[in-house]
Amino acid sequence: MENSKKTTTYLKAQVPGMQIQNIYWDRIWMYLEIANVNASTLYLYNGKKCYAAELEKVSFENLPDMVDFSEESKAALLTERVSLYRINITNPGNCKMLPDGLYRITPKAPLNDNDTDKEFVSISTEVAKRIGDFSRVFPFGHEGCYSVNMEASEDENFLPFRLRCNTSKETADSGKTKLKKKLVKTVYNFDQLLFHKKNAKKILLFSDQNEQGSSNLKALANALEKAGYAYDTEYRSLLTKSYSLKDWFSTIKKMAAANYIFLDDHSPTMNWLTLKNTKITQLWHAGVGFKSTGYSRFGMPASPGTDSGHRQYTYGVAGSKAVRHWFSEVWGINTAQVLPAGVPRIDEFLDSRVRADKVKNLLQMYPILQNVAEPKAEVTESKDGFQNQPRLILFAPTYRGKNKKFAYFPYQNLDLEKLYFICNKCNLIFAFKMHPFVKEQVTIPKKFEDRIIDLSGYPDINDLFYLTDILISDYSSDIYEFSLFERPMLFYAFDQTSYSLSRGFHRNYEKCVPGDICTSFEELMNSLEKAEKDESYRKYLIQKASRDRDQNFDYHDTNACARIIDWVIRDEMPDDIRAGITYAENKVKKW
């Protein structure tokens, strides 16, 4: 460990060795292109704080989609003349921000007083000349700011890599809010001592976003009942409703007593209330879409603070090993903590009996759907070139606006006259299913009601997928479940550039979208007509959807809830997943 009372003597001659040739950013990930690597492990090192975070080596096959590497860099990486490393500044491995302080890169951690500059990675002259270009500033919350600054050494003969992190705290709560939070914390601590039993199986299904409970929580509740487990529920909507202190005390008592808490959305309460001796599992209401959320968009409007409630999760849940790194980014936790057990609501979604009941109910509620053809892979043509029975097209975009309070959809980007014409020409029923946050309804003239319907009031979009022939989305995670059916998808991305700049994408939209992108309404209508008439085009879209399904789901069954109960509550986790969690915990060294 470095002695803070002593200074390190730096060499006055250029030391040959490991050298940074370039630096890249992909949102919260910093990538370092390093030449002459002669060590198996490299650390981002702060000796004064006794802290070292291991850098992750990136293979050529796993180069990030969102980084624009030059052909020269790609060639150097392919031939291993340089190596690529990365680190997540929101979570270098211990589910916390990279701490404030000055860092260097070294293969040794900890160092001692006799170590010299040859133990550190330097930067090339070219990088030194552009050193200011690589710094980043990440605003968050109410006037908070996290900065990552690159610095060049004053020593003209040796250019060690230096990185300095600094956090400016967000605006403090008002005195009244501080008092309320302090009171709630005191009650929680008291209730925790009084009602929490260490080895019990007290289970709480919890939400700060929805008073009715989500499909994930309801599916898990059904599975818990079948498995013989008692559970409690606490569903609230903090963004749209105020709750009395009496309500708060009731909620806090349940949270304090729980050994296991399951939720499926962000909890504002957990931003400031730290829970004790409780395993918290995030089921997450959305699958894998494209828009960034949580820590994957740190530094953008409405991003979380440096220490949000996401940090408290013991586990998260995802549909496959291939996608869990996107979930871990959102929550600021390690990928190993995201269990690829499957999403609870998929159990009912794939249950044939549930499907039959849901379809029957839909046909009774909406007579316009009664003649809709069963979705099939092929195009079944009639004499005029289109199918005899109408097919259902579902338009389910995400919202615009920074959160639930300001959510909207720009309806001016739709042309119902053109839409109605295509629906008649291709024998289609077109249904809108707007995001639940969007309160303004789409206006459908009476003359179009025989072909166009608004189903936004229907509670569960998954039920609509049973009858849907083609899904039209934009950046939403609706595509997650729909990919299980291997049916065509189109993407209406009229505002792709502005949306990506304001909201952010966590993966390359154009490369990863499981369908065709349409940037104008006319292009969307042409693609829709083509998908209903052209067999080869339809098969092309289905192939893209199939690849998405295979990436999203390790299991195509109805046992996700059973796996979650086994792995989390019964603690019967597969050995490889448990080992991965243990390994990830050692990515950050402290001494």
Side-chain angles (χ1 to χ4, degrees), residues 193 286 358 503:
L193 291 172
K358 296 292 187 181
R503 181 75 196 189

Side-chain angles (χ1 to χ4, degrees), residues 265-525:
D265 208 333
H266 170 238
S267 166
T269 302
M270 292 185 189
N271 285 347
W272 52 270
L273 180 64
T274 302
L275 305 189
K276 303 174 183 178
N277 303 316
T278 303
K279 287 187 177 181
I280 304 170
T281 302
Q282 174 60 264
L283 303 177
W284 202 237
H285 62 285
V288 176
F290 296 94
K291 62 182 180 182
S292 295
T293 188
Y295 283 108
S296 70
R297 63 191 307 271
F298 182 64
M300 302 186 75
S303 71
T306 54
D307 194 27
S308 83
H310 292 312
R311 304 290 198 185
Q312 296 197 55
Y313 305 153
T314 312
Y315 307 116
V317 171
S320 72
K321 289 182 178 179
V323 301
R324 57 183 183 164
H325 65 283
W326 285 317
F327 290 80
S328 65
E329 270 192 13
V330 170
W331 305 323
I333 64 175
N334 295 330
T335 298
Q337 293 170 256
V338 182
L339 310 179
V343 180
R345 62 178 178 269
I346 298 299
D347 287 358
E348 290 191 347
F349 184 57
L350 295 180
D351 188 315
S352 59
R353 293 168 298 180
V354 171
R355 176 174 180 164
D357 289 342
K358 296 292 187 181
V359 169
K360 181 180 179 180
N361 183 54
L362 281 168
L363 299 183
Q364 290 176 344
M365 292 180 66
Y366 305 103
I368 193 175
L369 302 179
Q370 290 178 0
N371 294 321
V372 167
E374 179 183 351
K376 295 180 180 178
E378 73 278 2
V379 174
T380 306
E381 294 186 359
S382 63
K383 293 180 181 179
D384 59 2
F386 296 100
Q387 65 278 355
N388 290 309
Q389 286 182 274
R391 296 201 192 203
L392 178 65
I393 310 302
L394 185 65
F395 180 49
T398 191
Y399 67 93
R400 275 64 173 171
K402 67 179 183 179
N403 56 31
K404 184 175 183 178
K405 183 177 180 180
F406 300 100
Y408 71 96
F409 183 82
Y411 289 114
Q412 67 271 20
N413 290 282
L414 306 176
D415 187 332
L416 296 192
E417 290 278 357
K418 288 183 179 179
L419 174 60
Y420 187 72
F421 173 79
I422 292 296
C423 286
N424 273 319
K425 181 178 181 181
C426 301
N427 195 14
L428 303 174
I429 302 297
F430 191 96
F432 289 93
K433 182 68 172 78
M434 307 310 295
H435 192 282
F437 286 5
V438 177
K439 301 306 178 187
E440 182 185 359
Q441 296 180 338
V442 59
T443 301
I444 302 174
K446 193 170 184 62
K447 62 181 179 178
F448 298 154
E449 288 181 352
D450 62 320
R451 290 286 182 181
I452 304 174
I453 185 174
D454 184 8
L455 299 179
S456 300
Y458 189 81
D460 193 344
I461 189 173
N462 284 358
D463 297 353
L464 305 179
F465 290 162
Y466 296 137
L467 296 173
T468 298
D469 181 52
I470 296 176
L471 174 66
I472 302 174
S473 187
D474 46 10
Y475 322 110
S476 174
S477 60
D478 297 334
I479 61 176
Y480 184 71
E481 283 94 337
F482 193 74
S483 69
L484 280 166
F485 290 153
E486 299 182 275
R487 297 176 193 160
M489 287 184 268
L490 296 172
F491 294 81
Y492 186 29
F494 54 85
D495 58 349
Q496 180 182 337
T497 300
S498 60
Y499 189 90
S500 65
L501 292 174
S502 62
R503 181 75 196 189
F505 293 145
H506 62 80
R507 52 177 169 159
N508 189 298
Y509 185 72
E510 293 184 354
K511 289 183 180 179
C512 299
V513 68
D516 266 8
I517 299 172
C518 305
T519 58
S520 69
F521 196 76
E522 182 176 1
E523 185 181 0
L524 176 65
M525 293 297 98

